[in-house]
Structures are given as structure tokens and as C-alpha cells.
Amino acid sequence: SDYHFEYTECDVLGSRWRVAVPNKADICTGLPDPVKGTQCFSCNEGEYLDMQSQQCQKCAAGTYSLGTSVAFDEWDSLPTGFVTHGVITNEGNDQTDCSSTWTPKGDYIASNTDECTATLSYAVNLKQPGSLSFEYFYPDTSIYFEFFVQNDQCQSTDSNSRWMRISESSWSKYTVELNKGNNVLYWRTIAYSLQGSAVKPVLLRNIQISVAYTSECFHCKPGTHSANPGSARCTPCPADTYSNKGATTCHECEEDKYAVGSASCKPRPACTSSDYFYTHTPCDSEGKTQLMYKWIEPKICSETVEGALKLPASGEKQTCPPCNPGFFVSNSSTCEPCPSGSFSNGTCTECPAGTEPVVGFEYKWWNTMPANMKSTVYNQVFWEVAGEYIYTTPGDQDTDYLMLTLSVPGYLPQSMVKDAERSELSRITFVFETICTADCKLYFLAGYNQWNNDVVERWNGRNHKQSYSYLIQSNSTVSFTWTFKRTDGTERNYSADVAKIYSIVITNAIGGVATKCPRCALTSVKAGSACVLCPPGHYMVNGTGACQKCPPNTFIRTDQPVGEAACIRCGPNTTTNKQAYTACLSDCILDLRTSKGALLHYDFSPLANVTSVHSSPRFTSKGLRYFHRFNLGLCGTEGRMPASCVDNVTESGREVKGYVCQSTVVPSDIRSQSLVSSQPFLIGDSLIVTTETTLGNISSPQWMFAAALGLPDVLFYYSSDATQSCQQGRSATVRMRCDPTVTAKNRIMLPNCSEGTCDGCTFHFLWQSQHACPLCTKNHYREIVSACIQGIQRTTYVWQQPVQCYGGQPLPAQKVSACVTLDFWLKFGVSTGAVAAVLLISLICYFWKKTRLQYKYSRLMMTSGGRECELPTADSCAIMEGEDAEDDLMDLTKKSFFTKIKSFSRERTSDGFDSVPLKSS
């Protein structure tokens, strides 16, 4: 008992050695010498290798062996070799208790559901390459679940292949090849319960590891047995029988007791209405259906106990409900789909000319389970039809996940050409109700391929009859699942809690039937349709089928009535896409007028690329840090790259695209990623640009951000389709604020409200940037003219303060020009004045002298009496001293001014004296 035998690896000749290995080091001496072993081989199923004789022996009754594999299917406690531990996810909080790890639950082992990383590991050394297989149940995307293998060099499995797929219906099986040598197996989970609701743990069972040989057989677990030697597996005990560990037979329970795969029997409770369910038979030739009652299997209740209910009588005939839309009653009284090109609301009718059938599935009468729906997991039916609805039957345990799956082969091409971010392939709408006394949960999941189901919406507790719609935007969405769970208890105490689905409608599905034939699509039609084609931007005139062009700057919506009402006018500062006429876009260049009438030109092209912004960190109750990331594509032409948010948790990689989207981001080391993104949703996929603070039902209050100084903010409004929580649809507002000092392109602020929104439906952003300023024009600068210095004058241009523009027309360069100084003009003026004064004085002197002589001569002529050559006689002999002869003469002979002027014209002699002709004596 102090040692055991092992084989060495097989050599190139196919031989090996048997070696004795002590169970503990240095506990004994005298170990047996190595012995040449048998040739490399493995035992068959039901056998084990006896190391003493080195021969394969059959397992005894009550035990089993897989021959070349080790199986772990009993989880009452942690099997030998398995290690589980928890570590804190958020390194900054050392006080977080992470004692919860993987917990054995009998038939399986369950992971933790808190915010700690829990790891389950097992080490195995293989002498030759082998394999590993296990079954797991992974229904909740709020838990990240990965499996990987490390070799003896601590090299791990590729991170891209270690992520586990979501379980579509129930238990999923996983198989992986193992290399020769040391292999350490890791199952690791971490839960991110951001919504405060409970999450479902990951379950593991039936772990099998292939080895070169097994040297022992395993005992059958309680509730199973193996009657014969050499069994490869143990057989479950029939209902109402039990067995202990390693049993060879199962024992009958007493009449008033029951057992279901257990080691003991329990007393049977009294039968109640929760122990049976009802269903309908298919319609017969008379159009009748029978109401049938059935016990829930396995039956554990007793009808003989006092107060027990009996199973109601079956067979009551009722009138069959009508066929679902798109179906008709055939000769065999069954509902058959209408042929292609026709529609039905009870009877099939061919679509009239100018219309096309709208195909899909509409289930509102539940006489039989539709062909593309199922509710069977391991032959156990969870949902049953009941005429007006389909409902959940009581299960074996309250923890059962009752699943109903609708499969869709695909979707038809869109009848209208749409841009990618507004794409809607299909829409599923269902009406449901939950009636619960416990904390029941109803989940709606979308399957993005044959492996993955992601939770779209969940409802807790009692929910009154209501409708829910989900848009299908990808061809990869091929299934839809409704999952109902009554409570977390392991007993059957709340079997009466029920979920009901009254109707399910899915549009545009391949293989669907037509319920109506509306007029042809407004812009284009599918291949093979008989509709009249209308070119893009045209609508079909009601009643005539003629095509009419929509007014300028409008786009077409097919969900609007036929006619001009289908032409929707674009909002302010947006234009329709000219190719398809399906949306209004902005090329990031626009003109806006201020309240004072000034025209401003904007160019937001430098900010058009997709930009990310994060909310402030938030923390869960355990200190786990997470935040919300918004991706924003401000504007752009039709070929722009839209903003996208992805879910990199699951293999499907679900992605939403539009102008604005949000995802939840958690820093994590899961899958060797620095960030894990999940729960993406679209906020805005249509755009309007304006400076108004209110647009329709969307408002951007001034108090959300500090008031702008100077120019008003330019507001971008985005909106998307309505959801269950946002009946008016989600929307977003982006305030573009001019700040020439901000050179970064991603300075985006969120309001003080939680996570960028105050009501959960409208999100607000403030984007400050120099590129949010209007383009500069000549009105934004002024010129300064300097003084004339040394014949040079400079003209300098400077911006008006404060600067409220960027880009556009650049500031003109400084201009230099020649000029004349003030000193030159002063000298020139003085010189010119002096010359003019001298000239004027000279003229005055000249004319004065000339006038004087002429005057004297005139006097002489006037006194001569008109006789030639005769001087006038003197009145006296001489002029007395002191007398002024000239003055007397002027007083006596006064002449007019014109006479004087006339006398000026007389000629003078060359000597300057007047020439007077004299007569000879």
C-alpha cells in the first residue's frame, strides 16, 4: 500500500516498462525492480488493466470502466485531483470576499455567480495523445465562461478558441484533443451582474479524460446499477426504484413512496392541479378537437391520499380554432399553407395585380405545435398548446428551464433598398403573460447561429398581458427561444406558476405564408414580382399604379401609406441620399444664421470619424469597476463608416451600427483581453442639424451644460426606433461648441445625469473643439495701418477679439507700401508760398508804376484842348509853394473807372514814357 505501479511511455519499438512509484517520498525502501511491460495497448470498455498480472480484467458487477478513459459523473463532493479557488477580479478592492467557488451539486458542479473569478482545475499526465469531453449548461451571457489547457511549459490554449458557446436548449457537449505529457485543465467563470438581478450559474457534468489505460473500475453512483460484469456504463434505475452506490440491482419502493434516480424513496404527496396538464388533439374530419389531461412524468403524487385530486376526464370534444393567417383548411381537416402568390385570412385568395404578398409567420391559434417550433429536451415536453395560447406545463423541478424554440430558415431580400444603419430584415412580435407567485423569470433569446443564443430581454415576476417587438437586422439571426424558470428552489412547490404566449408574428421569413397583399414597394421590388417598378425617389400613385416623383429633398418610407404621404421631408440642414432616396444625410458642411442675421459657415469634416467617449467609472456592490462606452459618428456622406458597438463576449460577435451606440465595458483579463464589451444597443440612426434646443419630442435643455459664451451651440439630433422601455424611441443630442483653444478632437463631456442620460432614453453630449467653430471670413479680422516712417507704411491684419472662428479664409499677410512724410510737404508748402509772395509783390509794383505814368499823360491830354502840337496854357505863372497841382487837377477833372482802364491800353515808348504826338508850329 506504500506504492503503486505506472508504465513508462512507449518507445519507438512499441514496448514499455512497469515501474513502482512510492505514494509519498522517502517512506519506504526495497521497491520492486522495473519489469519489462506488455506491448503498448489499451483495454476495452468494461475492462481494466491489472498491474500485477499486466492483463486486462473485466470489471465486477456494480462497477464500470470506459477502458481508456477516466470519468467523473458523481459530484457529491469534489473528486480527488480537482482544485477550485476564487480570486478577486477588481485589483483595487482587497476587502472583497472571494470564498465562493465551484460547488458540487450531486449530479453536476455549479460555478459561482458573484463578481469573483472562480477556477476549477485538474492536472493529468498522458503517456500518449488523448482527448477530453464534458457536458456543460451555459444559459446566461452575464457570466463569462472559458475553458483552456496549459501544458508543462505553461503555454495556454489559443484565446480565440477558449470561449465557450451559449447553450441553445439544454446541456451542450465539448470535446478537445490533449497532447502527450502534462495537461492542466482549467474551467474559469466570472459574473458581471450589472443590472442587480441574479444570474444563472454554469453547470458541468460527465467529465471524461482519455488515458492510455485505467487500472481500476468505478462504482456506479446512487440511483444507477450494473447487473453484469464488464459493464461500460451504469444503467439508471427505473421510476419508483432506488439503489445505493455500487449497486447490482435496483430495489422497489413501497406503494406510498417514490424515487427518481436516487438512493432512497420519499413519501408520495397528494395530487394537486399542478401535477397534470392539458392539451388538444389534432382536428378530426368533423372539425373537432379533444381536450386531453395528462399526468406530469414521472408521476410522484398519490391519488389515494386524503384530499388528492383525480385526473379530469379526457375526450371532451370542442370546435377547432380557425387556421392561422396564411393557412387554409384542407380536405383532411388540417391547416395547410396557401400556395405562393396568394394570401389567406381563412381562405386562400390570389394577390391582385400591382400588389405583392408579404410573407412571414403569424401564430395566434394553437391547436397543434407549428412545424418550425419545438419544446422537447430529452423527450420531455415543457410547452403545450391550449387553443388560444401556448403555455408552460409543470416541470419535474422548479429550477427547470422550460424552453420553446422557433427556428427560421432565413429572410427574403428587402423589398426596399435601405442604407446599412437603417436595415431591418424582419421583425418579431409576440404577446405574452406570466402568472407567478414566486420569483419566476421569462427570458427572450435570439440565436445568432446554430450555437449561440443571447438574452435580448427578460421579465421578472408577474407580468400582465403585453406585447413585445424585436428588430432583426442580420441574416445570422436564425432562431428565437423563450425560457421560463419558476424559482431557484430544487423542489416542486411552484408548479402552478405559468407563462403563456398568445401570438407570435415574424415578418419577411423564408418559407413563410402571406397574410395580405399590399401594393408594391415604393422604390423597388424583389426579383420575380409582378409589381410595376418605380425609380428611386418616386412613389406609386394610389389606385393608378403610375410613378410620381417625390418633392425635392425628401426620402421614401415604406411604412407610410401609399401615395405622396410616403415622401418624408428632410429636416433642417440635411439632404436626401441621391442614389436610394431612403435617408437624410449631412455632409458635415452647413450654413447657419445667428439671431442677429449673420451667416456662419461650418465644416465639421475633421470630426466626422467615429469617436469614442466613456462615462465615469461605476462600481457594483462588490467593487467591480465598469463603465459605458459611447461610439459617435457625427455626420458624413452615404459611404461613411458608421459607429458600431459589438459584443465580444459570445462567439456571435453581435454588432449594431448607426450614428450613436452604447455598450457596457468591463476591464478584465478574461480571454487575454484588456476590455470586455457587452450589451450593445443603438441610440440614433437618423440625423437632423439645427441650433434650436427642442426638436419634436427631443429636447436638449440649457441647464445640462455650462452656458456657451459668444456663439450659440450647433445641435445634432439623432433618433432611433421605439423599444419596450422607450416608447418614443431612443435619441441623442450632441452640442457642438466653438472653442479655438481646444486642439483635441475628442473632448466630449457627458451631463451630470447618470451615464449620459437623465431618463434612460435621451442621451446628451457636449463636444468642444476648434473644428466646431465657424469658418473664418474677412468679417472676423480687421486691419491696422501704421505711420509713414522713412517713406515706408505697413498694413497689419489681426483677428477680432475674442476669436470665434477656425480655418476658412486665413489671415492676410502684412502689406508694405511707399509713402511721403509730413516734413517734405511742409518744406514744399513754405517754398511755394515764398515764391508766390515775391511774384505777387513784383506784379503789384509793376502795375502801380505803369498806372501812375499813364495817369499823368492822361491829364496832359485832357488839358490840351484837343489841338495838336499844343500844350495847354498855364493858368498861372507858377505853382505856389505848398500847392499840389495834381490834387487840384484830380478834383476838377474826375473820370470814370472804365475811362481809366481804357487809358491803360495806350502804347508806351521803348524808354518807358508815354508817346504823345506833337504838331509842328
Side-chain angles (χ1 to χ4, degrees):
S1 61
D2 293 331
Y3 65 90
H4 64 277
F5 290 108
E6 289 186 8
Y7 278 115
T8 62
E9 296 182 13
C10 296
D11 56 25
V12 293
L13 300 177
S15 61
R16 56 186 174 181
W17 290 78
R18 190 192 71 177
V19 181
V21 179
N23 295 331
K24 293 183 180 179
D26 302 328
I27 62 172
C28 63
T29 59
L31 291 172
D33 294 331
V35 176
K36 185 74 172 180
T38 57
Q39 295 297 311
C40 290
F41 71 96
S42 299
C43 296
N44 297 322
E45 290 184 345
E47 297 178 343
Y48 72 100
L49 182 61
D50 185 359
M51 299 299 290
Q52 292 289 345
S53 64
Q54 299 194 57
Q55 298 293 327
C56 290
Q57 305 289 340
K58 285 189 176 182
C59 291
T63 63
Y64 73 98
S65 171
L66 300 175
T68 59
S69 299
V70 179
F72 302 95
D73 57 0
E74 188 176 354
W75 296 93
D76 294 325
S77 60
L78 203 62
T80 303
F82 280 87
V83 177
T84 178
H85 65 281
V87 296
I88 190 170
T89 302
N90 183 17
E91 298 85 352
N93 187 357
D94 296 334
Q95 304 300 321
T96 303
D97 179 18
C98 283
S99 59
S100 59
T101 54
W102 290 81
T103 306
K105 297 288 187 180
D107 292 335
Y108 55 83
I109 184 170
S111 70
N112 66 322
T113 56
D114 57 13
E115 297 161 5
C116 299
T117 301
T119 304
L120 176 69
S121 61
Y122 182 80
V124 60
N125 185 282
L126 300 182
K127 304 302 182 183
Q128 61 185 19
S131 64
L132 162 75
S133 66
F134 59 87
E135 294 180 358
Y136 68 92
F137 184 52
Y138 175 29
D140 197 339
T141 55
S142 296
I143 291 183
Y144 300 154
F145 176 39
E146 64 174 345
F147 168 77
F148 59 96
V149 181
Q150 277 189 352
N151 57 20
D152 46 11
Q153 279 82 38
C154 293
Q155 295 173 332
S156 300
T157 306
D158 185 3
S159 60
N160 293 328
S161 61
R162 64 170 62 180
W163 194 248
M164 304 304 293
R165 302 184 179 102
I166 291 290
S167 299
E168 184 177 0
S169 56
S170 185
W171 292 88
S172 303
K173 189 171 183 179
Y174 184 82
T175 303
V176 63
E177 298 297 325
L178 300 178
N179 297 323
K180 183 175 67 173
N182 290 322
N183 292 268
V184 184
L185 316 176
Y186 291 95
W187 295 266
R188 187 163 67 177
T189 61
I190 179 173
Y192 292 106
S193 180
L194 305 183
Q195 307 299 329
S197 59
V199 296
K200 298 185 286 293
V202 177
L203 311 181
L204 285 179
R205 72 179 184 185
N206 293 341
I207 299 177
Q208 296 184 11
I209 305 172
S210 67
V211 293
Y213 61 91
T214 175
S215 58
E216 61 178 338
C217 295
F218 301 96
H219 292 284
C220 293
K221 66 179 182 178
T224 64
H225 72 288
S226 62
N228 302 318
S231 297
R233 289 173 178 81
C234 296
T235 305
C237 288
D240 299 333
T241 63
Y242 71 97
S243 68
N244 296 316
K245 186 173 183 179
T248 58
T249 60
C250 296
H251 306 283
E252 293 281 346
C253 291
E254 299 176 7
E255 250 186 69
D256 58 345
K257 293 184 179 181
Y258 76 97
V260 181
S262 60
S264 61
C265 297
K266 298 179 181 179
R268 291 183 181 272
C271 291
T272 65
S273 59
S274 300
D275 292 306
Y276 64 85
F277 65 95
Y278 58 93
T279 184
H280 290 76
T281 62
C283 295
D284 57 20
S285 58
E286 299 176 356
K288 300 290 185 179
T289 180
Q290 288 182 303
L291 184 62
M292 306 298 292
Y293 292 91
K294 298 180 181 179
W295 291 112
I296 298 171
E297 296 295 340
K299 181 185 175 184
I300 63 173
C301 67
S302 174
E303 301 176 64
T304 60
V305 178
E306 183 179 356
L309 293 180
K310 300 288 185 180
L311 186 68
S314 300
E316 178 186 354
K317 286 195 173 185
Q318 299 176 348
T319 302
C320 282
C323 292
N324 283 311
F327 291 79
F328 72 99
V329 180
S330 65
N331 294 332
S332 60
S333 298
T334 59
C335 293
E336 301 290 340
C338 288
S340 177
S342 61
F343 71 101
S344 169
N345 200 11
T347 58
C348 294
T349 306
E350 289 189 3
C351 294
T355 63
E356 60 177 341
V358 176
V359 297
F361 298 104
E362 182 175 353
Y363 302 119
K364 61 181 181 180
W365 300 108
W366 304 91
N367 185 56
T368 58
M369 183 73 74
N372 60 343
M373 297 183 71
K374 65 177 181 179
S375 174
T376 303
V377 180
Y378 297 141
N379 298 321
Q380 185 175 2
V381 177
F382 289 147
W383 293 72
E384 275 289 351
V385 294
E388 295 183 354
Y389 53 82
I390 184 171
Y391 74 105
T392 55
T393 61
D396 184 26
Q397 293 181 339
D398 290 338
T399 55
D400 288 338
Y401 291 98
L402 314 182
M403 297 183 179
L404 175 67
T405 302
L406 167 64
S407 299
V408 181
Y411 307 95
L412 296 172
Q414 300 179 70
S415 59
M416 175 178 176
V417 181
K418 296 185 178 182
D419 52 310
E421 54 267 27
R422 295 182 59 88
S423 173
E424 178 184 332
L425 280 178
S426 178
R427 181 191 296 260
I428 183 171
T429 304
F430 58 92
V431 178
F432 71 97
E433 178 185 19
T434 57
I435 303 173
C436 301
T437 56
D439 54 341
C440 67
K441 299 177 180 64
L442 177 65
Y443 300 87
F444 174 61
L445 303 92
Y448 295 99
N449 52 42
Q450 61 178 336
W451 302 107
N452 287 17
N453 264 347
D454 284 355
V455 176
V456 174
E457 193 65 75
R458 70 184 70 187
W459 297 269
N460 297 330
R462 182 181 180 89
N463 290 273
H464 297 288
K465 191 174 180 180
Q466 58 186 277
S467 176
Y468 178 79
S469 293
Y470 174 69
L471 299 182
I472 303 163
Q473 298 177 314
S474 171
N475 272 315
S476 62
T477 309
V478 295
S479 67
F480 304 93
T481 302
W482 293 264
T483 301
F484 181 69
K485 180 184 177 183
R486 291 184 169 89
T487 186
D488 293 325
T490 57
E491 301 296 330
R492 192 193 290 183
N493 298 325
Y494 298 98
S495 298
D497 291 357
V498 65
K500 298 180 180 179
I501 296 179
Y502 292 90
S503 65
I504 300 175
V505 179
I506 183 169
T507 63
N508 201 34
I510 293 177
V513 293
T515 59
K516 57 184 178 180
C517 287
R519 292 200 170 271
C520 301
L522 301 179
T523 56
S524 63
V525 296
K526 296 170 289 192
S529 175
C531 295
V532 179
L533 291 173
C534 280
H538 291 67
Y539 64 93
M540 186 174 292
V541 179
N542 192 12
T544 64
C547 295
Q548 184 72 32
K549 186 174 178 60
C550 283
N553 205 28
T554 58
F555 71 99
I556 295 208
R557 288 277 296 273
T558 53
D559 55 355
Q560 298 295 327
V562 174
E564 192 172 358
C567 303
I568 308 300
R569 184 168 297 280
C570 289
N573 303 296
T574 59
T575 57
T576 183
N577 50 346
K578 302 301 182 183
Q579 299 296 327
Y581 292 88
T582 56
C584 294
L585 307 174
S586 171
D587 60 358
C588 303
I589 300 176
L590 61 146
D591 297 334
L592 295 174
R593 287 195 179 275
T594 64
S595 57
K596 298 180 180 180
L599 183 62
L600 301 178
H601 308 276
Y602 288 88
D603 184 4
F604 296 101
S605 299
L607 306 178
N609 293 333
V610 177
T611 306
S612 297
V613 59
H614 297 82
S615 67
S616 56
R618 302 181 64 82
F619 298 89
T620 62
S621 58
K622 286 224 176 216
L624 175 67
R625 181 168 62 95
Y626 71 95
F627 51 87
H628 294 281
R629 177 168 63 190
F630 300 91
N631 288 338
L632 172 63
L634 186 67
C635 52
T637 57
E638 191 170 4
R640 69 182 180 89
M641 180 67 69
S644 65
C645 296
V646 300
D647 180 0
N648 63 7
V649 175
T650 60
E651 188 182 69
S652 63
R654 186 163 63 96
E655 182 179 17
V656 296
K657 294 183 178 181
Y659 283 103
V660 187
C661 62
Q662 177 196 307
S663 61
T664 302
V665 177
V666 181
S668 173
D669 58 353
I670 295 295
R671 299 175 63 194
S672 302
Q673 296 181 16
S674 58
L675 292 177
V676 174
S677 175
S678 63
Q679 303 174 4
F681 62 84
L682 190 63
I683 297 177
D685 58 3
S686 60
L687 165 67
I688 294 178
V689 186
T690 181
T691 55
E692 302 297 328
T693 57
T694 301
L695 183 67
N697 60 346
I698 311 174
S699 177
S700 177
Q702 296 281 5
W703 54 264
M704 288 220 171
F705 302 101
L709 300 176
L711 295 175
D713 297 333
V714 179
L715 274 73
F716 284 70
Y717 287 89
Y718 307 90
S719 61
S720 62
D721 293 325
T723 63
Q724 181 190 23
S725 56
C726 299
Q727 299 296 330
Q728 300 294 328
R730 292 191 179 99
S731 58
T733 65
V734 180
R735 283 181 170 267
M736 305 302 298
R737 180 166 295 179
C738 171
D739 192 340
T741 63
V742 178
T743 58
K745 294 185 179 180
N746 58 348
R747 185 172 174 180
I748 304 177
M749 300 173 58
L750 300 176
N752 293 329
C753 301
S754 174
E755 302 161 1
T757 177
C758 298
D759 57 8
C761 296
T762 304
F763 296 78
H764 305 277
F765 306 89
L766 173 63
W767 196 336
Q768 295 175 288
S769 174
Q770 59 186 4
H771 299 290
C773 297
L775 298 177
C776 295
T777 64
K778 62 181 181 180
N779 297 326
H780 289 95
Y781 61 83
R782 59 189 179 91
E783 63 178 20
I784 299 176
V785 181
S786 67
C788 186
I789 301 175
Q790 297 180 354
I792 296 176
Q793 189 175 51
R794 289 178 170 82
T795 303
T796 305
Y797 298 90
V798 295
W799 295 113
Q800 299 278 7
Q801 295 298 324
V803 179
Q804 292 182 334
C805 69
Y806 182 79
Q809 184 174 337
L811 198 66
Q814 186 184 63
K815 292 195 306 185
V816 179
S817 59
C819 62
V820 180
T821 62
L822 182 62
D823 294 342
F824 171 81
W825 288 111
L826 183 60
K827 294 176 182 179
F828 177 78
V830 172
S831 302
T832 304
V835 172
V838 171
L839 181 61
L840 181 60
I841 293 173
S842 301
L843 290 174
I844 291 173
C845 294
Y846 167 76
F847 283 109
W848 179 80
K849 184 176 179 181
K850 180 178 179 181
T851 304
R852 189 77 176 171
L853 292 175
Q854 207 168 12
Y855 170 70
K856 291 181 178 181
Y857 172 76
S858 299
R859 285 285 303 272
L860 292 176
M861 289 298 296
M862 292 173 62
T863 55
S864 62
R867 293 184 300 270
E868 294 184 1
C869 302
E870 184 177 346
L871 294 173
T873 57
D875 293 334
S876 62
C877 294
I879 297 175
M880 297 297 295
E881 184 179 357
E883 291 182 355
D884 190 347
E886 291 179 2
D887 292 341
D888 294 340
L889 181 61
M890 289 178 63
D891 292 336
L892 295 175
T893 60
K894 292 190 178 187
K895 293 184 179 180
S896 68
F897 176 75
F898 293 103
T899 305
K900 294 178 180 179
I901 294 299
K902 229 171 171 186
S903 63
F904 291 162
S905 60
R906 291 185 180 179
E907 296 181 358
R908 289 187 176 183
T909 59
S910 57
D911 56 1
F913 292 95
D914 294 331
S915 176
V916 180
L918 299 177
K919 291 182 179 182
S920 63
S921 58

